[in-house]
Amino acid sequence: MRQIQNFIGGEFVAAASGKRFDKRSPLDNRVIASIAEAGQAEVDAAVKAARSALHGEWGGLTTDQRVELLYGVANEITRRFEDFVEAEMADTGQPRHVMTNVFIPRGAANFKVFADVVKNVPTEAFQMATPDGRGALNYGIRVPKGVIGVVCPWNAPFLLMTWKVGPALACGNTVIVKPSEEAPNTATLLGEVMNAVGVPKGVYNVVNGFGPDSAGEFLTRHPGVDAITFTGETRTGTAIMKAASEGMRDVSFELGGKNAGIVFADADFDAAVDGIFRSAFLNSGQVCLGTERVYVERPIFERFVQALKEKAEGVKFGRPDDHHADYGPLISQEHRQKVLSYYRKAVEEGATVVTGGGVPQMPGALAEGAWVQPTIWTGLPETASVVREEIFGPCCHIRPFDSENEVVALANDTDYGLSTTIWTTNLARAHRVAARVEVGITWINSWFLRDLRTAFGGSKQSGIGREGGVHSLEFYTETRNICVKL
């Protein structure tokens, strides 16, 4: 069983209180790690270390020197690639191919991409006339925002943590990371990488724990934290925003979603089925960008439902290293109970269960894991709970539609606005619909295809702000104007 400590000022430290908590494997419910729970004392120490680094060696580095260190971090992650893969698989139980092809490579890429952004992005300059005719020059500079609190989710822990740490450090900030209590492994490993590369102590810190009355609350309420970035559910984001209002601190939130997939009758049928299958069931449905509402044009509705059913019933459950398996468990028993409660609620509300709706039969010790079946429903009204509320599991409801205006109205009939995916061979219609759907990111004939230079974020209750490429600089730096009288 692994012993996981907090990482503060370049050192791995226990909690002064002696408090620890267990991490259980989602595969079989075994206890696989004991984690030191940070209290107020550890958060205070982390803020002090981060502030000291900001005004010390780290703050004195040039942009080129920071870029060189961040490239070193990315290269060391790549050198220790297998360690990160194993750590992420232990925390999440998801298949090896998901880790090796998506989550861990993206984690390393986040450092290189944002290092390149800060090295190449320009600032602005303006000449202006003055009454004496001599003029003046205004130019902008970007400076680090300060100490950034990074509160992370459990569904793609390393990818989503580095998505925030990468640009924060590239811009010259220091960070205090609060990983999910369900997925602390890779944040700890990254501390080892920072030390190996020579990142100054205090630049990167990790405090483990929970939300209320634990590390999460202590960090977000701390007056020494200058800004907070968070990925997770909307309810938690609301609590963090209230905490951040004390001191008028900036926030960047990527929150929940109830994302729509739209399939027109002229779509490449097989590609659309494959795309919706992936967007609904990748990572066992635990993807903020995932599709839980599917709208299919009526002429192909029945055929589409049948094809998606066949793919869902073809998944192979198993351990991450089982090369025959392509489907993992949910993150925890607690989350499984939440998802199963929605499975029951769908039936109570009158859904037709096309497939799934329960728990698969797993052999041996795996029977104790957090497994659920991929589930598809039809026949529910838009007012049904499973159509309105984010479930964050491997499930979707499919409904037919008859016109473009109808499906746009259905897609927009939600409190959320994170993403959508549109499948059609009529690109004029695709562009038209994409412009009308009220979300932060729309994919046409694809899903989860990300260029890290582009803006990413949600509308409505799905978030505040945009990150990615130069857009991240708007959050992680302060722009100052300097006016020079000539």
Side-chain angles (χ1 to χ4, degrees):
M1 184 171 67
R2 189 173 185 197
Q3 302 293 311
I4 295 178
Q5 308 286 59
N6 300 296
F7 184 72
I8 299 171
E11 305 291 336
F12 290 98
V13 298
S17 66
K19 280 186 175 182
R20 304 190 73 85
F21 60 94
D22 290 339
K23 160 63 184 174
R24 291 183 175 272
S25 168
L27 294 168
D28 54 18
N29 208 33
R30 286 180 304 114
V31 176
I32 57 173
S34 173
I35 302 136
E37 181 181 353
Q40 186 69 61
E42 286 70 44
V43 173
D44 288 345
V47 171
K48 183 178 179 180
R51 185 69 58 188
S52 177
L54 194 65
H55 297 297
E57 180 185 356
W58 178 249
L61 296 181
T62 65
T63 298
D64 285 345
Q65 289 170 325
R66 284 202 312 271
V67 165
E68 184 177 354
L69 280 173
L70 294 184
Y71 260 79
V73 169
N75 292 336
E76 181 68 5
I77 291 168
T78 301
R79 190 185 73 81
R80 297 191 60 181
F81 189 82
E82 189 59 26
D83 293 338
F84 280 92
V85 169
E86 291 288 341
E88 198 93 325
M89 289 193 306
D91 277 345
T92 67
Q94 291 302 311
R96 172 175 287 273
H97 70 85
V98 176
M99 302 304 154
T100 58
N101 294 329
V102 183
F103 290 171
I104 304 305
R106 264 285 306 277
N110 284 334
F111 287 99
K112 289 187 175 182
V113 166
F114 289 107
D116 289 340
V117 167
V118 298
K119 187 169 63 174
N120 296 303
V121 69
T123 54
E124 60 186 16
F126 299 96
Q127 291 179 305
M128 64 178 290
T130 57
D132 63 7
R134 298 176 63 179
L137 175 68
N138 288 272
Y139 66 93
I141 61 171
R142 291 187 181 274
V143 299
K145 188 152 286 182
V147 177
I148 310 295
V150 180
V151 184
C152 306
W154 46 254
N155 57 316
F158 188 59
L159 184 159
L160 293 173
M161 184 258 290
T162 56
W163 173 245
K164 298 171 182 300
V165 172
L169 299 190
C171 291
N173 301 283
T174 57
V175 298
I176 304 169
V177 173
K178 207 297 281 184
S180 167
E181 62 274 15
E182 297 289 357
N185 264 304
T186 47
T188 301
L189 270 182
L190 189 57
E192 296 178 11
V193 166
M194 295 287 176
N195 281 350
V197 170
V199 174
K201 294 182 177 182
V203 171
Y204 174 81
N205 306 274
V206 180
V207 290
N208 292 298
F210 303 89
D213 198 32
S214 188
E217 181 177 350
F218 301 146
L219 178 63
T220 56
R221 289 193 176 279
H222 202 291
V225 173
D226 297 300
I228 301 163
T229 178
F230 167 71
T231 297
E233 65 176 359
T234 301
R235 182 177 58 182
T236 304
T238 301
I240 292 174
M241 193 168 184
K242 289 178 181 177
S245 68
E246 298 175 13
M248 301 297 291
R249 293 168 298 154
D250 282 350
V251 295
S252 177
F253 289 162
E254 192 263 283
L255 305 175
K258 192 68 177 178
N259 309 305
I262 300 171
V263 182
F264 287 95
D266 69 344
D268 179 324
F269 185 84
D270 292 338
V273 171
D274 288 345
I276 295 295
F277 172 78
R278 186 164 173 259
S279 66
F281 302 121
L282 179 71
N283 208 36
S284 301
Q286 300 166 123
V287 180
C288 57
L289 300 162
T291 303
E292 292 188 2
R293 297 182 297 142
V294 182
Y295 300 102
V296 179
E297 199 165 10
R298 196 175 299 275
I300 63 167
F301 176 76
E302 296 294 343
R303 180 184 169 209
F304 188 93
V305 170
Q306 180 61 30
L308 194 64
K309 172 182 184 290
E310 291 171 2
K311 285 192 72 71
E313 291 176 348
V315 302
K316 294 179 172 58
F317 302 92
R319 294 183 180 276
D321 277 322
D322 181 348
H323 297 298
H324 299 291
D326 57 9
Y327 196 84
L330 299 179
I331 190 68
S332 66
Q333 293 293 329
E334 180 182 7
H335 188 55
R336 181 170 84 153
Q337 290 309 311
K338 173 193 170 183
V339 171
L340 289 176
S341 74
Y342 277 104
Y343 283 13
R344 292 189 295 270
K345 190 174 292 187
V347 174
E348 292 167 2
E349 293 181 327
T352 297
V353 180
V354 175
T355 189
V359 176
Q361 295 296 313
M362 301 300 294
L366 294 182
E368 303 301 319
W371 307 89
V372 299
Q373 294 173 324
T375 297
I376 299 170
W377 304 293
T378 60
L380 287 172
E382 293 297 293
T383 55
S385 300
V386 298
V387 179
R388 304 298 303 176
E389 300 169 17
E390 183 182 36
I391 301 170
F392 217 62
C395 54
C396 63
H397 178 261
I398 312 178
R399 170 179 171 154
F401 71 90
D402 295 299
S403 71
E404 182 179 312
N405 285 337
E406 179 194 7
V407 77
V408 169
L410 289 168
N412 288 338
D413 184 19
T414 175
D415 294 330
Y416 298 103
L418 187 53
S419 73
T420 193
T421 177
I422 300 169
W423 297 85
T424 177
T425 55
N426 183 334
L427 288 183
R429 176 166 57 196
H431 286 295
R432 193 167 59 241
V433 173
R436 296 176 64 193
V437 179
E438 298 164 352
V439 296
I441 182 169
T442 296
W443 283 283
I444 297 172
N445 297 329
S446 64
W447 177 77
F448 210 53
L449 185 61
R450 291 281 294 120
D451 184 327
L452 303 186
R453 298 169 297 181
T454 61
F456 179 85
S459 304
K460 303 179 183 178
Q461 291 188 25
S462 289
I464 296 174
R466 294 292 182 268
E467 296 187 26
V470 297
H471 308 281
S472 290
L473 272 59
E474 298 302 319
F475 177 70
Y476 292 107
T477 65
E478 296 281 7
T479 301
R480 295 177 181 171
N481 184 73
I482 297 172
C483 180
V484 182
K485 178 68 171 65
L486 303 177

